[in-house]
Amino acid sequence: MALFLVSRTDRTDYDEHDAIVVRAGDEKTALKIATNGTEERYGVFTYWDADFSGFQRDGSNLAVERLESRGPAGVILKSFRAG
């Protein structure tokens, strides 16, 4: 297992995620975790409720980068975009 940074490649708006760090076996699994969600129905309408708001279901606005586990102690990710 390794750590992966999954970050947005497009502009983020308020109350959206712009990046997450996940533990996964490979980039494909990291992307699958990042694009997870549930399909919801509201009357006749169906919509995708993403676990991470702003992340496209198909991963088209995301980049995945494997992080090195070696290095100095410190913060890996601090991402805040509140509205």
Side-chain angles (χ1 to χ4, degrees), residues 11 18 23 25 60 76-77 82:
R11 183 173 175 266
D18 59 359
R23 182 180 312 279
S60 61
I76 293 175
L77 174 66

Side-chain angles (χ1 to χ4, degrees), residues 8-30:
R8 297 267 301 267
T9 57
D10 61 348
R11 183 173 175 266
T12 58
D13 206 350
Y14 294 113
D15 298 328
E16 289 186 343
H17 292 85
D18 59 359
I20 60 172
V21 174
V22 299
R23 182 180 312 279
D26 54 33
E27 288 185 12
K28 182 179 178 182
T29 304

